Amino acid sequence: MAIRPAEQLIHKAAWLYYAHGLRQDQVASQLNISRASVAMYLRKARETGIVNISTSTQLFTDDVMARRLEDALSLDAVWIAPENDYVIDPSTDIAVLAASVFLELVRKGDRIGVAWGRTIYTIADIMSYADLQDVTVVQLCGNLGAPYSYRPDQCTMEIARRLNAKGLNFYAPLVLTTEALAHGLRAEPVIREQLSGISDCDLALYSVGTVDADSHVVKCGALSVGEMALLREAGAAGVIAGQIIDASGKALDCSYNRRVISAALSSLRQIEKRLMVVQEDSKFEPLLAALAGGLCTHLVVGARMAKRLLEHAGAATEKAS
Amino acid sequence: MAIRPAEQLIHKAAWLYYAHGLRQDQVASQLNISRASVAMYLRKARETGIVNISTSTQLFTDDVMARRLEDALSLDAVWIAPENDYVIDPSTDIAVLAASVFLELVRKGDRIGVAWGRTIYTIADIMSYADLQDVTVVQLCGNLGAPYSYRPDQCTMEIARRLNAKGLNFYAPLVLTTEALAHGLRAEPVIREQLSGISDCDLALYSVGTVDADSHVVKCGALSVGEMALLREAGAAGVIAGQIIDASGKALDCSYNRRVISAALSSLRQIEKRLMVVQEDSKFEPLLAALAGGLCTHLVVGARMAKRLLEHAGAATEKAS
DNA sequence: CACGGCTCTCGACAAAAGTCAAATTGAGCG
DNA sequence: CGCTCAATTTGACTTTTGTCGAGAGCCGTG
C-alpha cells in the first residue's frame, strides 16, 4: 500500500481534531493541507476505526421490561428495542442496537464466534468500524455450497473487517450428504482445530432460525421443504448455527444434524458471553428453545417479542406454583 | 432533578443521531422538538459520556522509539508525545495523550487509584467524559491541610465525575507532625480500610515529583525548602503519591515518610496497570527512580524525555556489558 | 517520452451544525 | 391568583463541515 504517508496523516488529523478539539481549518493549517483534505481524512479515520464514536445502550437496558426479562429468564443482560416509539425502520432498528451492544461487549484480545443469517449480516452491515487489535473472529459453522446472500464466511469476514480484526474462516460445507463423510471431515486437522477452538471464544454472536419453509437452511437448499416438515414433526423447534434444536434446546437426534459441520452446542455453552439477536416476531418458539438450551446469556429483542417472552415466563411460573 | 424527561430525550437524540446516523433536523422531527434543542441535547450527551468519541493512541505507540523504550525498560506500553512536530501546546499535549491512554486502559468495574499533582489535575481537566458504570476512583494519598490548587481529593473527584464513577476520598492530612499520630491515624478503621483497598485497584494513575524547592510537597508546605534539601542529601530522588523515594525507587527511610498517610509503595506495585505520566523535562531523575522501583508499567512521556531515557538505558547496558 | 489510469489534493459551493438572544414554560411563593 | 426566577426551547443568524468536479502529481506501459 502506498497509503503509508496518508495513514500517518489520518492519524494526526484525527488526533488534532477529536482529541485536541481543533477545528478542521486549524488542523489544515497545522498539517499544511487544505481543509477539504482534512474533512476527507477525518471520514477515513471514522471508517477505519481510528476514531470511535459509540453511544451508550444504557437506555435500552434501563427499561423496566428488560430488567424483568433478565430476572425471569436469568440472563446476564437484555436490551429491548422500542417498536412503537420513535422508530425509523423497525427491521434495522434492532440491528443497530445489536451492533452497538456487540461493540460494547467486545474486548481487546477477544476471540469471537460468529454464526450466520440475515440478522447477523444486517448487523455486520450497519456496524461501525473499530480498531480492535488482537481480536479474532471465527466462523461457527460450515459454509453453504451454493452461493447464497448471507453466507457464514461473509458474515465472519465482514465483521472482522469492521473490527480490523483477524477473520478465521473454515471452508467446509455446512452440510454433507452422508454421515460418514461428515464424520471424516470433522476429523480433518484443519477442521478439527477450528471446531475445538470454538469453546475458547469469549463472545458469540448469533441469531436463531425458524423451522419452516422460510428457514434459511431450507432457502439455501440444505434441507428440502418436505424434510423440514418431517423434522418439525420429530420435534425440531429452531436452528442454531445451522443445527436443528428441539424445544428443550438440545440438538435434535436426526441424520441432518449428524451431517452438519458446525460448532457443538456444548462448545457454544462454554463461551462466556453468548449474544443472541432476534429480529422477527415469528422466531418466538425457536427463541424459547434456544433459551431453554442455555444458548444465550445476552439478548437483544424488539419490544413485542420482549412482551411475549415475559408473558410466557409469567405463565410458566404461575403454572409451576 | 427535574431532568428526568430530558435525560430520556438526550439518550434518544444521541441514539438517533450517532447510532442511526440521522441528521439533526431528522432527529428533531422524530422527537417533535426544534433542531436547536437537538444540538443542545447532543452536546449534553457528549458532556455526560452518553456518547463516547475516542481516538486511537496507536500512532504514539507505533513510534519506533516507543517500542525501543518498552524493551529497554521492560514496560508493558509506552506512549510518546511528539514535541517538535505538529504541536499545539507542549504542556497540554502530553496531558491530552495521557487522558486518551487512561480512558483506553479503564474497564468497566475497575477500581482506579489516583494520585495528585499538577500533571494529574491537567489530565483530569481535559479528559473527555465517559459513562463507566461500576467504576470506583480511589484517592491514593492523604489530603493537604492547606487549600492548594491541585488537591488529591480534587483530582480524585474530578476524574470520578468525568467517568460517571464513584469517587472514594479519604479525609486524612497527607502529612502529620508526629510519627505517633500518623501511626494512630493509619490504624483508624476508615483510613486503614481505604489504604488496604489500594492493592485491589486495577489501574493507577500518577506522576512523579521532583525533590527540589519547586516540588509540590514543598510548595504546599508539607516540607520546608531546607528539609527538602536535607532529604535530598540523604538520597531523596523523587516523590510518588506524596512519599519520598530514593534512586532505587524504595521509600526513603526518613521521618517525613513515616509521618505520611499514603498508599504503601508495595500496594502500588500490586496494581496491575500503573500508568505514569511525566510532563516536565526536569523530572528525569525522579522518573528514573520510579522506574527503578517498578512503580510504572505504562508510561506517557514527551519525545525529549523519551530520548533521554533511551540514551540512559543504552549507556547502562553498555556499562554492564 | 507521451499516454492513460490512478490516487491524492484543492477551491468553491451547498448542507449541516453551533450559537445566541428572545420567548415560553413551569415551579415556587407571597 | 399573579408574581418572579430559573430552566428550557425556539427561530434566525453565523460558523463550520461535507461534497463534488477539476486539476495536479505519479507510476507503469506501449
Side-chain angles (χ1 to χ4, degrees):
Chain A
M1 287 197 237
I3 333 174
R4 192 42 17 116
E7 184 86 342
Q8 191 84 337
L9 270 181
I10 294 174
H11 261 105
K12 288 184 179 181
W15 184 251
L16 292 173
Y17 186 76
Y18 286 107
H20 279 272
L22 297 196
R23 285 197 322 259
Q24 292 190 355
D25 50 0
Q26 297 178 298
V27 176
S29 64
Q30 272 285 329
L31 301 177
N32 278 95
I33 50 176
S34 77
R35 210 193 46 67
S37 296
V38 173
M40 193 211 58
Y41 285 148
L42 293 179
R43 184 162 38 72
K44 277 195 179 165
R46 285 187 299 264
E47 281 171 1
T48 46
I50 288 172
V51 314
N52 220 327
I53 302 183
S54 64
T55 65
S56 161
T57 58
Q58 192 76 5
L59 177 62
F60 304 95
T61 6
D62 270 359
D63 197 5
V64 271
M65 191 152 53
R67 282 285 152 77
R68 285 201 287 154
L69 257 186
E70 286 168 20
D71 289 348
L73 305 171
S74 53
L75 297 175
D76 289 347
V78 174
W79 289 262
I80 299 178
E83 268 165 337
N84 321 307
D85 212 2
Y86 58 104
V87 185
I88 311 307
D89 175 355
S91 79
T92 64
D93 222 39
I94 293 177
V96 170
L97 175 57
S100 282
V101 167
F102 176 77
L103 287 170
E104 218 166 83
L105 290 174
V106 181
R107 292 272 157 268
K108 274 183 192 168
D110 272 5
R111 188 183 176 84
I112 303 161
V114 170
W116 66 300
R118 200 183 49 72
T119 304
I120 302 303
Y121 196 77
T122 311
I123 293 171
D125 201 46
I126 53 90
M127 177 163 6
S128 62
Y129 293 80
D131 190 18
L132 299 168
Q133 307 106 323
D134 313 321
V135 164
T136 312
V137 183
V138 306
Q139 188 177 329
L140 286 178
C141 58
N143 258 301
L144 281 331
Y148 188 63
S149 20
Y150 325 108
R151 294 202 321 266
D153 59 328
Q154 282 185 319
C155 293
T156 310
M157 288 319 277
E158 183 58 22
I159 290 180
R161 195 174 71 83
R162 301 268 171 159
L163 264 43
N164 266 306
K166 207 163 51 205
L168 228 63
N169 288 114
F170 76 102
Y171 292 105
L174 173 63
V175 59
L176 299 162
T177 44
T178 74
E179 295 181 19
L181 191 53
H183 190 76
L185 199 51
R186 273 193 288 261
E188 273 298 307
V190 204
I191 308 292
R192 202 180 48 202
E193 205 173 288
Q194 172 96 14
L195 289 176
S196 70
I198 284 169
S199 53
D200 294 335
C201 286
D202 306 283
L203 172 61
L205 172 65
Y206 41 62
S207 188
V208 64
T210 55
V211 285
D212 49 32
D214 280 343
S215 174
H216 273 121
V217 283
V218 172
K219 280 208 210 144
C220 73
L223 277 172
S224 72
V225 179
E227 286 172 316
M228 184 53 107
L230 285 175
L231 283 171
R232 198 171 187 174
E233 273 171 44
V239 184
I240 291 271
Q243 291 163 96
I244 309 283
I245 57 171
D246 65 19
S248 71
K250 281 196 280 288
L252 193 72
D253 185 27
C254 62
S255 159
Y256 170 81
N257 269 353
R258 284 189 293 270
R259 290 184 285 117
V260 156
I261 309 280
S262 179
L265 297 184
S266 59
S267 309
L268 293 180
R269 271 190 293 263
Q270 278 180 52
I271 300 174
E272 189 196 343
K273 290 173 284 187
R274 285 152 270 160
L275 177 60
M276 172 155 293
V277 183
V278 179
Q279 285 189 308
E280 300 89 346
D281 287 343
S282 61
K283 289 185 172 176
F284 181 62
E285 274 84 17
L287 176 53
L288 283 182
L291 286 166
L295 290 164
C296 153
T297 59
H298 299 247
L299 180 65
V300 176
V301 288
R304 277 193 306 276
M305 180 66 91
K307 212 169 163 190
R308 280 181 75 182
L309 281 172
L310 213 45
E311 280 161 9
H312 178 88
T317 46
E318 242 173 62
K319 215 183 285 176
S321 65
Chain B
M1 287 199 236
I3 331 176
R4 191 44 12 122
E7 184 86 344
Q8 193 83 337
L9 270 182
I10 294 175
H11 261 106
K12 288 185 179 180
W15 184 252
L16 292 174
Y17 186 76
Y18 286 107
H20 279 270
L22 297 196
R23 287 197 321 263
Q24 292 192 353
D25 52 355
Q26 296 178 297
V27 175
S29 65
Q30 271 286 330
L31 302 177
N32 277 96
I33 51 178
S34 77
R35 216 200 83 267
S37 295
V38 173
M40 195 212 57
Y41 285 147
L42 292 179
R43 184 160 38 72
K44 276 195 181 167
R46 285 189 298 263
E47 281 170 0
T48 46
I50 288 171
V51 313
N52 222 324
I53 302 182
S54 64
T55 66
S56 158
T57 58
Q58 192 74 11
L59 176 62
F60 304 95
T61 7
D62 269 359
D63 197 4
V64 269
M65 190 150 56
R67 281 285 152 79
R68 286 202 286 154
L69 257 186
E70 285 168 19
D71 289 347
L73 305 171
S74 53
L75 297 175
D76 289 347
V78 174
W79 289 261
I80 299 178
E83 270 165 333
N84 321 307
D85 213 2
Y86 59 106
V87 185
I88 311 308
D89 176 356
S91 79
T92 63
D93 222 40
I94 294 176
V96 170
L97 175 57
S100 283
V101 167
F102 176 78
L103 287 170
E104 217 166 83
L105 291 174
V106 180
R107 294 271 158 269
K108 276 182 190 169
D110 272 5
R111 189 182 175 84
I112 302 162
V114 170
W116 66 300
R118 198 180 52 73
T119 304
I120 302 304
Y121 196 77
T122 311
I123 293 171
D125 202 47
I126 52 91
M127 178 162 5
S128 61
Y129 293 80
D131 191 18
L132 300 169
Q133 306 106 322
D134 314 319
V135 164
T136 311
V137 182
V138 306
Q139 187 176 329
L140 285 179
C141 58
N143 259 301
L144 282 328
Y148 188 62
S149 19
Y150 325 108
R151 295 201 322 264
D153 61 327
Q154 282 185 319
C155 292
T156 310
M157 288 319 276
E158 183 59 22
I159 290 181
R161 194 174 72 83
R162 302 268 170 156
L163 262 45
N164 267 309
K166 206 163 53 202
L168 227 64
N169 289 114
F170 76 100
Y171 291 104
L174 173 62
V175 58
L176 299 163
T177 45
T178 74
E179 294 179 21
L181 191 53
H183 189 76
L185 198 52
R186 274 194 288 262
E188 274 296 308
V190 204
I191 308 291
R192 201 179 49 203
E193 203 173 289
Q194 171 96 14
L195 288 176
S196 70
I198 284 169
S199 52
D200 294 335
C201 286
D202 305 282
L203 172 61
L205 173 64
Y206 43 63
S207 189
V208 62
T210 55
V211 286
D212 50 32
D214 278 346
S215 173
H216 273 120
V217 284
V218 171
K219 281 209 208 140
C220 75
L223 276 171
S224 71
V225 179
E227 286 171 317
M228 184 53 105
L230 285 175
L231 283 171
R232 197 168 186 178
E233 273 171 44
V239 184
I240 291 270
Q243 291 162 96
I244 309 284
I245 58 170
D246 64 20
S248 72
K250 283 196 280 289
L252 192 73
D253 184 29
C254 62
S255 159
Y256 170 81
N257 269 353
R258 286 189 293 272
R259 288 183 287 119
V260 158
I261 308 282
S262 179
L265 296 185
S266 60
S267 309
L268 293 180
R269 272 190 293 263
Q270 278 179 52
I271 300 174
E272 189 196 342
K273 289 174 284 188
R274 286 153 267 160
L275 176 60
M276 171 154 296
V277 182
V278 179
Q279 285 189 307
E280 299 89 345
D281 287 342
S282 61
K283 288 183 173 177
F284 181 62
E285 275 84 19
L287 175 54
L288 282 181
L291 286 166
L295 290 163
C296 152
T297 59
H298 299 246
L299 179 66
V300 176
V301 289
R304 276 194 304 278
M305 180 67 91
K307 212 169 163 192
R308 280 179 75 181
L309 281 172
L310 214 44
E311 280 162 10
H312 179 87
T317 46
E318 242 173 65
K319 216 183 286 179
S321 64

